Amino acid sequence: MTERDALIRSWDRNAGNWIRVVRQGLIRSRRAGTDDAVLNAIAELAPKRLLDIGCGEGWLVRAAVARTGCGAVGIDGAAALIDAARAADAMNTYQMMDYDSFAASDIGGDFDVAVFNYSLFVDDVVPLLRAAAKRLAPGGAVVIQTPHPGDGREDGWRVEDFSAFDGGDWATMPWYYRTLESWRTVLREAGLEIRKMREPAAEDGRVLSLLMICVPIQA
């Protein structure tokens, strides 16, 4: 089994635990600032239509709609997560769709914001980013929040064992780490550039994540 296959399977295996920790507010980094960071970035862009790629159980769609009044579509490849999103929110659209299908889908376009919130963990992200960019309305943006690259100097697969999470029988999750320069490279290959870059931090100054607001490169 490849790391990519194991990553996909881990989301199915961990779906119940993920729903629990998200809805009970048990993830410390999210409480410390990453949830607010991505919501603030979306609100600043004032979208009329939002596409959440890798929406999980739908918390970001619900929160963004409540805050901005936008319409929203969420997609995810884990059936249990999509079922949970639909059960919690009958007003918005949730579709089960893996990343390969998304890149080739007819989901439509004219989204003002496409967001990847901790959902870009595969090694080859260029097709996903390119597909997201193609679905933007004029003036639209792609928002990416991801683990902060820190001082790492080499891309590669790493493993999340969820030991910092509260309880539950978690399956380990491979994820692909990339440096900031690597992010710049893959974004450029996808036809995007960083317009704004932020490093959300906790009250004690600890950097929590990397957040990038990206726009299509103008010819």
Side-chain angles (χ1 to χ4, degrees):
M1 182 189 306
T2 66
E3 285 89 350
R4 186 185 178 101
D5 291 336
L7 168 61
I8 294 169
R9 292 188 183 188
S10 74
W11 283 110
D12 290 317
R13 168 73 185 278
N14 292 330
N17 278 324
W18 190 250
I19 294 165
R20 174 179 60 85
V21 298
V22 169
R23 294 187 176 177
Q24 294 180 13
L26 300 179
I27 304 174
R28 290 189 291 273
S29 62
R30 296 180 64 147
R31 296 197 308 267
T34 62
D35 282 3
D36 285 343
V38 71
L39 278 170
N40 289 341
I42 291 170
E44 288 173 19
L45 296 166
K48 293 181 180 178
R49 296 189 74 215
L50 171 72
L51 175 62
D52 185 357
I53 305 163
C55 67
E57 54 74 61
W59 81 269
L60 182 54
V61 167
R62 298 191 299 272
V65 169
R67 184 161 174 178
T68 69
C70 67
V73 175
I75 66 169
D76 201 282
L81 294 176
I82 288 295
D83 287 346
R86 289 171 174 165
D89 177 13
M91 300 298 294
N92 296 291
T93 300
Y94 298 93
Q95 296 186 33
M96 183 179 168
M97 185 180 299
D98 63 28
Y99 282 172
D100 291 336
S101 299
F102 168 67
S105 75
D106 59 355
I107 193 173
D110 294 329
F111 292 97
D112 303 294
V113 174
V115 58
F116 294 91
N117 187 51
Y118 287 103
S119 59
L120 281 175
F121 290 136
V122 295
D123 49 350
D124 184 10
V125 296
V126 172
L128 291 170
L129 293 168
R130 188 177 290 133
K134 287 180 178 179
R135 287 164 172 79
L136 293 177
V142 175
V143 175
I144 300 167
Q145 183 166 223
T146 193
H148 196 280
D151 57 0
R153 298 183 179 181
E154 185 175 344
D155 292 4
W157 286 99
R158 299 186 179 183
V159 176
E160 170 62 68
D161 63 6
F162 300 99
S163 59
F165 288 53
D166 295 328
D169 179 21
W170 294 86
T172 58
M173 183 189 81
W175 65 281
Y176 196 78
Y177 164 87
R178 64 180 72 250
T179 65
L180 179 56
E181 186 54 37
S182 177
W183 275 114
R184 293 186 188 277
T185 297
V186 297
L187 287 165
R188 188 163 52 248
E189 290 176 0
L192 293 164
E193 61 185 356
I194 301 172
R195 185 173 73 184
K196 295 181 181 179
M197 184 171 64
R198 298 170 182 167
E199 297 173 300
E203 290 184 358
D204 61 5
R206 177 172 51 91
V207 176
L208 300 168
S209 66
L210 175 67
L211 193 148
M212 297 170 284
I213 299 174
C214 308
V215 296
I217 297 171
Q218 299 300 314

